[in-house]
Amino acid sequence: MSLGGFFRRIAVFVAVSGVLGVWAHAEEPESIEQLVARVGRTRWTFNNTVELVAGPREAWQARLDLVDSARHHILISTFSWHNDVYGKDFRRYIAETEKRRKTEGIDVSVRVLADAFAFGLFSRAFDGLEEEGADVRGYNRSSWGLTPMFDVRMHDKIMIADGKRALVGGRNIADLYFDPQKWWLDLGVQVEGPVVDDLQMIFLKSWELTEFNRKAGRFLLPQEKLVEAMRTFWFTGRYPNGKSPLEPFMTTGFFPGWSEPAGSVPVAVLYDNPLLRRRAATTDLVIALAGRAKDRIELMTPFPNMPPELTAALVAAAKRGVNVRVIVNGPEAAIRGGPFLSSGYPTLIQLIEGGVEVWSWRANGDVQDTIDASDCHPAVMPPIALHGKMVRVDDDLSIVHSSNFNIRSTYYNTEAGVVVLDEDFNRLLGNFVESLIDIHKFKLECQDGATAPQLPDIMELLTTDDLPTIRKELGKKQRFLDAWGAAW
């Protein structure tokens, strides 16, 4: 063999080996951890504990416990904080706790970040907090006589104590989330471990961006320069001029570290902000998860006007044999009626036609009337409406979030939540969903040996027989809803 022939054979061998190597690499399936990190634009943290917080009493107590445990700082972000019974009580509890701690020589800083909507309607809810020294800021408020530059609403709900424990989920501060006699079902998780560092960093960056947008100098920058500055700060921790407002927080007081594992659960934070990315990574992750689900997908949302890609992904999963279940509010339990309700009808029609199980929560006065007419009462009243947001995929992955997985959450809101990779938590969340579908598991306690009455069926499986009614209710609203879809 000539020397030239030898080198040609070597070249062919290398080329073929390279191609085979690429094929072999391409055939390696992406793990669920890799998918979450890539599409969710996040990172995994380990050695966490995760606790589901669902009932109104436990959700309220969890917040009081966080306030009690704080020795350095409390951080709270919320969409709204009502000036009602529970809103006032929580404000009073924080203020009185802070006053007592100061007499003991303990100075806990309190920072509250609420959407401008909260300041427009419930501004008095913050009076007592500020009197006790809390720093309260409104996200994307009007300032300097000018309206906000962007249509971005803060919709995430996070509460953190001392950088050690955090609550995240869908609850605002209002009676509707905590009154055990008349409450909206919502979901949250309490976490402890390294994932708290990521949640805290999200809050602190949002806190500093709020201050940045309050300065008059922002109006001297073109919009594209302003957005560029905010994105640079978010992803690097510094503004384009090199300055970092985060440096005062980089202490062991805010980030105490974890010398001992808090638990063993992998958790990743899912955060969305349309100023940083045009489209929510959370929505894209749910779409990707639906595309690879093997056995089941469960999704709960109070506002199901989903982006078309998510609807299509759920239908495609159902058509390939995955048990897909979506839980929404029916007209009787709608948190908001009118276009907020009917804007979800096109999605429901497509889901039902595509073989997806759609369960409609119909809780209304019938439940209370049935109980009032008997000598029985439940340990906890069933919720009158659903406000929870969650996704459950197969046997191990769960998402609890503030996102409604709809158009507004995908394109216009800040949202925050966690994805949990744990079979025990997944099973716990699944059992909770089953208890909602079988409402009779809300046991009634009766006096004098009375027989418990049959509660009305308040969770209804929608079928193709319901489509004519849904289409009739949708009526001529379709064009209006399409034109103003972002508002709902």
Side-chain angles (χ1 to χ4, degrees), residues 342 345 349 466-478:
S342 53
Y345 285 164
I349 291 170
D466 297 292
L467 291 179
T469 301
I470 296 175
R471 287 194 172 97
K472 182 178 180 181
E473 292 179 1
L474 185 59
K476 299 179 180 179
K477 301 174 184 176
Q478 185 68 65

Short mmCIF file of all heavy atoms in Angstrom, two decimals, residues 342 345 349 466-478:
data_model
loop_
_atom_site.label_atom_id
_atom_site.label_comp_id
_atom_site.label_asym_id
_atom_site.label_seq_id
_atom_site.Cartn_x
_atom_site.Cartn_y
_atom_site.Cartn_z
N SER A 342 -64.71 33.73 30.23
CA SER A 342 -64.94 33.26 28.86
C SER A 342 -63.68 33.21 28.02
O SER A 342 -63.62 32.47 27.03
CB SER A 342 -65.99 34.16 28.17
OG SER A 342 -65.63 35.52 28.24
N TYR A 345 -62.55 29.69 27.52
CA TYR A 345 -63.41 28.72 26.83
C TYR A 345 -62.78 28.14 25.57
O TYR A 345 -62.90 26.92 25.32
CB TYR A 345 -64.75 29.36 26.51
CG TYR A 345 -65.66 29.51 27.71
CD1 TYR A 345 -66.76 30.36 27.68
CD2 TYR A 345 -65.44 28.81 28.89
CE1 TYR A 345 -67.60 30.51 28.78
CE2 TYR A 345 -66.26 28.95 29.99
CZ TYR A 345 -67.35 29.81 29.93
OH TYR A 345 -68.17 29.95 31.01
N ILE A 349 -62.42 24.10 25.01
CA ILE A 349 -63.00 23.39 23.86
C ILE A 349 -61.95 22.51 23.20
O ILE A 349 -62.19 21.33 22.90
CB ILE A 349 -63.59 24.40 22.86
CG1 ILE A 349 -64.84 25.09 23.47
CG2 ILE A 349 -63.96 23.71 21.54
CD1 ILE A 349 -65.35 26.26 22.65
N ASP A 466 -70.80 18.74 26.86
CA ASP A 466 -70.83 20.10 27.40
C ASP A 466 -70.39 21.15 26.38
O ASP A 466 -70.54 22.35 26.62
CB ASP A 466 -69.92 20.20 28.63
CG ASP A 466 -70.38 19.31 29.76
OD1 ASP A 466 -71.44 19.61 30.33
OD2 ASP A 466 -69.68 18.32 30.07
N LEU A 467 -69.84 20.69 25.25
CA LEU A 467 -69.29 21.65 24.29
C LEU A 467 -70.33 22.60 23.70
O LEU A 467 -70.05 23.79 23.54
CB LEU A 467 -68.55 20.90 23.17
CG LEU A 467 -67.26 20.22 23.60
CD1 LEU A 467 -66.61 19.49 22.43
CD2 LEU A 467 -66.28 21.22 24.20
N PRO A 468 -71.55 22.14 23.35
CA PRO A 468 -72.54 23.10 22.84
C PRO A 468 -72.83 24.23 23.82
O PRO A 468 -72.95 25.40 23.41
CB PRO A 468 -73.78 22.23 22.60
CG PRO A 468 -73.23 20.87 22.35
CD PRO A 468 -72.05 20.74 23.27
N THR A 469 -72.89 23.91 25.12
CA THR A 469 -73.15 24.95 26.12
C THR A 469 -71.98 25.92 26.21
O THR A 469 -72.18 27.14 26.29
CB THR A 469 -73.39 24.30 27.50
OG1 THR A 469 -74.51 23.43 27.42
CG2 THR A 469 -73.67 25.36 28.55
N ILE A 470 -70.76 25.38 26.19
CA ILE A 470 -69.58 26.24 26.27
C ILE A 470 -69.50 27.15 25.05
O ILE A 470 -69.24 28.35 25.16
CB ILE A 470 -68.30 25.39 26.39
CG1 ILE A 470 -68.32 24.61 27.71
CG2 ILE A 470 -67.06 26.26 26.32
CD1 ILE A 470 -67.16 23.64 27.86
N ARG A 471 -69.78 26.59 23.88
CA ARG A 471 -69.74 27.40 22.66
C ARG A 471 -70.82 28.48 22.68
O ARG A 471 -70.60 29.62 22.23
CB ARG A 471 -69.90 26.51 21.43
CG ARG A 471 -68.69 25.66 21.11
CD ARG A 471 -68.79 25.06 19.72
NE ARG A 471 -67.55 24.40 19.34
CZ ARG A 471 -67.34 23.09 19.45
NH1 ARG A 471 -68.30 22.30 19.94
NH2 ARG A 471 -66.20 22.56 19.08
N LYS A 472 -71.97 28.15 23.23
CA LYS A 472 -73.05 29.12 23.31
C LYS A 472 -72.67 30.27 24.23
O LYS A 472 -72.93 31.44 23.94
CB LYS A 472 -74.33 28.45 23.78
CG LYS A 472 -75.52 29.39 23.85
CD LYS A 472 -76.78 28.65 24.29
CE LYS A 472 -77.97 29.61 24.36
NZ LYS A 472 -79.20 28.90 24.81
N GLU A 473 -72.05 29.94 25.38
CA GLU A 473 -71.64 30.98 26.31
C GLU A 473 -70.53 31.85 25.72
O GLU A 473 -70.45 33.04 25.99
CB GLU A 473 -71.17 30.34 27.62
CG GLU A 473 -72.31 29.68 28.40
CD GLU A 473 -71.81 29.03 29.68
OE1 GLU A 473 -70.60 29.12 29.96
OE2 GLU A 473 -72.64 28.43 30.40
N LEU A 474 -69.69 31.21 24.91
CA LEU A 474 -68.63 31.98 24.26
C LEU A 474 -69.23 32.97 23.27
O LEU A 474 -68.81 34.13 23.18
CB LEU A 474 -67.68 31.03 23.55
CG LEU A 474 -66.43 31.63 22.91
CD1 LEU A 474 -65.59 32.36 23.94
CD2 LEU A 474 -65.60 30.54 22.24
N GLY A 475 -70.24 32.50 22.53
CA GLY A 475 -71.02 33.36 21.65
C GLY A 475 -70.19 34.23 20.74
O GLY A 475 -69.24 33.79 20.08
N LYS A 476 -70.53 35.49 20.75
CA LYS A 476 -69.89 36.44 19.85
C LYS A 476 -68.72 37.17 20.51
O LYS A 476 -68.25 38.19 20.01
CB LYS A 476 -70.91 37.47 19.38
CG LYS A 476 -72.08 36.87 18.60
CD LYS A 476 -73.07 37.94 18.18
CE LYS A 476 -74.23 37.34 17.41
NZ LYS A 476 -75.22 38.37 17.00
N LYS A 477 -68.24 36.63 21.62
CA LYS A 477 -67.17 37.30 22.36
C LYS A 477 -65.78 37.00 21.81
O LYS A 477 -64.81 37.62 22.24
CB LYS A 477 -67.21 36.90 23.84
CG LYS A 477 -68.52 37.21 24.53
CD LYS A 477 -68.51 36.65 25.93
CE LYS A 477 -69.86 36.85 26.62
NZ LYS A 477 -69.89 36.23 27.97
N GLN A 478 -65.68 36.05 20.88
CA GLN A 478 -64.38 35.56 20.47
C GLN A 478 -63.48 36.67 19.94
O GLN A 478 -62.31 36.77 20.33
CB GLN A 478 -64.55 34.48 19.40
CG GLN A 478 -63.24 33.82 18.99
CD GLN A 478 -62.65 32.97 20.10
OE1 GLN A 478 -63.24 31.99 20.52
NE2 GLN A 478 -61.50 33.37 20.60
#
